[in-house]
Amino acid sequence: MANSKYEYVKQFEVEDEVMLPNLIVVQIHGCDFHKFSDVHEFQRPNDEQALNLMNACAVSVLEEYPDIVFAYGFSSEYSFVLKKLSKFYQRRASKILSLIISFFTSVYAAKWKEFFPQKELRYPPLFQARVIQCATMEVLQHYLAWRQRDCHLTNQYNTCLWKLVKCGETEKDAREKLKGTQKKEKNELLFQQFGINYKTLPEIFRQGSCVLKAKVEDVVKYGENGNPIKRLRRKAYIIHSENISGRVFWNEHPGLLNELGGFAENIAKIDPDYVRSFQFDSKLMPSTWIVVRIDGCHFHRFCEIHEFEKPNDKLALELMNSCAVALLQEFQDIIFAYGVSDEYSFILKKDSQLYQRQASNIMSVIVSFFTAVYVMKWVAFFPQKELKYAPSYDGRVVCFPSSEIVQDYLAWRQVDCHINNQYNTCFWMLVKSGKSKSEAQHTLKGTQSQEKYELLAQQFAINYSTLPAIFRLGSSVFREDVVIYEKGSLIENLQNQVVVKHYILHIHERCQRQPFPTKSWIFSRTDQAEMIKRAKVFGEI
């Protein structure tokens, strides 16, 4: 992070550590998946390939994050349970939640063709997430029992519904027929009208899926003589069980007992309200600016494996910008975004009621959507490069009480952009000239901005100020009217289009905001004509 006078904005970030001895559960579920299922023509009442894709994503999550020891899922939902003494990301709820949902979404989009080779992924899958902090093993037991009961009730209802529809009834009539029926009545309907014994339907539909880990021998490499070299590794696997909250199931898996603990007795009655009381969520303060910042997770490694150009890969930055544009097109409450490198900040209007201002819902949806678009658009920007593994992002939500503080937040991020880019430009020019990375670091240690300017000019004949603005200033994304002329004639007038620009965002003296103190502070005073033209970007301020 850059060291600047704007760093005071960090004090508005709220700590969200889940304290010990609470167990951490992350629940994700598809957002508007009824529409997603319709558009992609999933089979009713269950599409086994769609469920297998969900399970494959859950397996990838458990293999990616060692602290996750158990998962349970059905339909478009999955719950991930972290080990009892987990220190994963210092137990910060926002970090844990955003990383898991980002990685899950990323894998879902990346593996789509594997499970649906004949179907195009027509638009990004979207997931929401929340954290459940289970104070005791009893709470976890009730939570798992609740989710598996929902699996059974939902599947039984949908099985009846779609059997009736396939036999000629309208969906409205079928729902009316099932209104108020109990489990026994639905079983009888299926058996008497359709000859179906509900208990013989596939377990994956009735019971949901569990993902656990086991130690297995795996070939890690081959020796010089060609013989395989094996190591014990934890591999995730899928099983189905009728009662995942029962003592018998739990005791059959020592790994769960070791990492989480055991259940004292079986559950007699499930109380969903009891479990919901442990949801770890906060409603953001009204009439404040909401900023969601996402950062690439281990993107240094991602850049190296995908051979991005150093110090900047313009195509990679344009891919990030394309994802930000897609977000503003999808969510009207996002009025401005600023991005640099593998980071993006999204600003929601002060009066936004998106997801009732629930922090986890807002953050998880933005992270999920951004990640899915990144994977889906990869081939458009890198047609000759295979996406070798799923990227992921972590996120945080911060509320700012005034537009002045939002301005300083953006100034902080842009100062960070400048300092990091100037350093990296010098560093990689030194490396490309023959210095080792440690020698380049030693050369730059303690240097100030002016010294770096001189180094680039004197040693490499580079005027830093003339480098592409996308590298030096980052990217601003917002809506404006676009007028297209050709040979002096108006061709098209496009209203409220999302555009990407590269501006100086910060103003060093607050008095310089005049004569536009309320609407156009987002742009530099050095171009007031441009400020007037684009003043409506923050018209809500």
Side-chain angles (χ1 to χ4, degrees), residues 127-141:
F127 295 89
Q128 288 179 314
R130 62 172 61 93
V131 169
I132 314 291
Q133 51 176 351
C134 299
T136 63
M137 281 297 293
E138 180 188 15
V139 177
L140 176 62
Q141 187 181 22

Side-chain angles (χ1 to χ4, degrees), residues 34 38 44 157-158 160-179:
H34 288 293
D38 288 341
R44 303 289 193 178
Y157 179 91
N158 287 337
C160 294
L161 173 71
W162 291 105
K163 279 296 178 183
L164 290 170
V165 170
K166 288 175 183 178
C167 285
E169 296 198 25
T170 65
E171 188 173 337
K172 181 180 179 181
D173 289 342
R175 291 189 184 278
E176 188 63 32
K177 190 171 185 176
L178 293 172
K179 191 174 181 180

Side-chain angles (χ1 to χ4, degrees), residues 242-311:
E242 189 174 2
N243 185 9
I244 63 171
S245 62
R247 292 183 62 200
V248 172
F249 172 80
W250 217 250
N251 291 339
E252 285 174 349
H253 300 93
L256 298 181
L257 292 173
N258 292 336
E259 298 287 8
L260 294 166
F263 297 145
E265 55 187 28
N266 289 330
I267 294 175
K269 184 180 179 181
I270 300 169
D271 183 2
D273 290 334
Y274 170 68
V275 179
R276 290 192 190 100
S277 67
F278 292 93
Q279 289 183 6
F280 189 91
D281 202 358
S282 60
K283 194 168 185 178
L284 299 172
M285 186 178 295
S287 300
T288 57
W289 295 96
I290 301 171
V291 177
V292 179
R293 185 166 91 241
I294 67 172
D295 295 277
C297 184
H298 303 308
F299 250 64
H300 289 294
R301 175 173 171 261
F302 185 86
C303 294
E304 288 177 2
I305 288 177
H306 292 95
E307 299 177 342
F308 284 177
E309 292 183 20
K310 299 292 188 179

Side-chain angles (χ1 to χ4, degrees), residues 2 29 49 66 83 121 140 146 199 214 216 234 269 279 289 295 328 341 346 353 442 449 477 485 516 519 527:
H29 58 93
Q49 282 297 86
K83 61 185 180 182
L121 184 56
L140 176 62
W146 171 43
K199 291 185 178 180
V216 297
R234 287 190 174 271
K269 184 180 179 181
Q279 289 183 6
W289 295 96
D295 295 277
L328 265 74
S341 185
F346 299 94
Q353 292 301 315
H442 181 74
S449 181
V477 185
Y485 288 92
F516 309 105
K519 291 190 175 182
D527 190 349

Side-chain angles (χ1 to χ4, degrees), residues 469-480:
I470 191 175
F471 302 157
R472 295 181 293 108
L473 304 177
S475 300
S476 300
V477 185
F478 52 92
R479 298 178 186 87
E480 72 169 4

